[in-house]
Amino acid sequence: MNAPLYAALVLAARTVPVLPLRAGKVPFGNCPTCRGNACGGRPNMKTPGPCRCTRICHAWAAATTDPAVLASAAWAGPWREAQALAYHPGGAELTVVDLDNADAVSWARDALPATRTVATTRGEHWIYQGAMQSANAVRPGVDIKSRMSYARWLGPGSGAMTCLPTAVRALVEREETTPARGEVVSSSGRTEWDRSVATGCRHTERFVRTGLERGLALVRARPESGAGSQAFGVAQFLAAQHTACPGPCGLEELGWQVVAAAVSVGVPEPYARRAVTNGLNGTPAPGRAS
Ligand SMILES: [Zn+2]
Ligand SMILES: [Zn+2]
Ligand SMILES: [Zn+2]
């Protein structure tokens, strides 16, 4: 078996989504059907699309943990030509701080908590546990690779992996397009669930949306009395659908929509929030709203 494919299957078995890279260490191009995103793109992309192409199209979005896809005939050609292996850090709940050169590495040694590091051609990858938004050039020679991004697999590296620190999140905060999660649920601008926040979800978009819509309908059908505990039940049900997913599944976004539905039928917001948080976390049912 070809070496990158073998390494890919080993990583995939550890729930790390992987894909081959061609010469130049970049993803393979799209097939004719997907060229120029004519297919609409894949369901897990930022703008979700209907593409079910079995070939290695759409760069990071093709990364998978499915051994049947990795070893499929459609991927055999790319594996033969592969020059490197890449993985999708966000899909494995990881963030790679890509330090391009010695200056960037010495900056990281001063500014960031130690974690697992992997040597690269001219610099290092610092790998943290936890996913976040990706961003290029957050500082000279520093890229953040996590959600909707790929990073080269250069071996397991060394050192203990630590949790994604605030210092790394702060590097891209100013680029966040969505407002910080604040106090008011019903305000506009709240992110609704879509495929882009569920990069580690095993379910189809339709499955998740059907579950959500049913739950919201149950909450809305219970004006005031009972809607709070219904929200708890719905949140618990939604969380249970994803216990076997590697995550992230966008549960937080699903939860906000349940809170908003409960608030819309008169449940006090703090109570609705608590009920949904407890439901998502699988904590015991709360008492009735006072
Ligand atoms: Zn395609
Ligand atoms: Zn496509
Ligand atoms: Zn899921």
Side-chain angles (χ1 to χ4, degrees):
M1 191 189 290
N2 138 317
L5 173 56
Y6 179 77
L9 290 169
V10 170
L11 279 177
R14 288 160 44 195
T15 70
V16 178
V18 282
L19 75 160
L21 299 179
R22 63 182 165 90
K25 315 288 194 287
V26 294
F28 286 82
N30 291 354
C31 74
T33 312
C34 294
R35 194 160 293 151
N37 234 21
C39 57
R42 291 197 196 274
N44 60 343
M45 290 168 68
K46 182 165 189 162
T47 305
C51 178
R52 300 275 171 215
C53 184
T54 56
R55 295 196 239 185
I56 186 162
C57 300
H58 306 294
W60 71 268
T64 180
T65 57
D66 186 343
V69 173
L70 293 169
S72 68
W75 284 45
W79 284 121
R80 273 193 301 274
E81 292 169 39
Q83 299 284 306
L85 178 62
Y87 64 110
H88 171 37
E93 281 296 290
L94 299 174
T95 293
V96 177
V97 180
D98 184 4
L99 305 158
D100 259 350
N101 52 48
D103 285 350
V105 171
S106 67
W107 164 80
R109 286 191 182 130
D110 289 338
L112 303 181
T115 188
R116 179 173 300 181
T117 64
V118 182
T120 64
T121 316
R122 300 180 311 273
E124 289 177 4
H125 283 173
W126 286 31
I127 306 175
Y128 291 99
Q129 187 80 52
M132 63 180 285
Q133 183 190 330
S134 300
N136 286 328
V138 292
R139 290 182 49 84
V142 182
D143 296 334
I144 307 292
K145 295 165 184 279
S146 183
R147 294 202 179 105
M148 291 188 269
S149 175
Y150 69 92
R152 272 188 71 191
W153 173 257
L154 295 161
S158 58
M161 206 182 291
T162 56
C163 278
L164 183 58
T166 317
V168 173
R169 290 190 186 277
L171 292 171
V172 297
E173 226 143 63
R174 58 198 159 83
E175 298 187 15
E176 292 276 354
T177 50
T178 48
R181 299 225 152 76
E183 296 306 309
V184 184
V185 176
S186 37
S187 70
S188 61
R190 175 75 55 204
T191 314
E192 295 209 335
W193 186 91
D194 68 36
R195 252 303 177 191
S196 71
V197 297
T199 49
C201 186
R202 290 203 167 126
H203 300 297
T204 62
E205 181 167 7
R206 171 191 282 250
F207 176 91
V208 175
R209 285 199 187 281
T210 303
L212 175 64
E213 289 309 323
R214 282 199 187 130
L216 297 181
L218 284 172
V219 172
R220 291 190 194 109
R222 291 254 195 128
E224 296 181 63
S225 67
S229 48
Q230 185 72 69
F232 168 84
V234 166
Q236 198 177 38
F237 166 77
L238 292 176
Q241 288 188 319
H242 298 277
T243 49
C245 296
C249 293
L251 287 179
E252 198 183 341
E253 284 75 8
L254 293 173
W256 282 118
Q257 288 176 257
V258 177
V259 172
V263 169
S264 77
V265 292
V267 176
E269 193 176 305
Y271 177 75
R273 273 216 303 260
R274 202 161 52 239
V276 167
T277 302
N278 289 342
L280 290 177
N281 294 337
T283 37
R288 285 185 53 80
S290 52

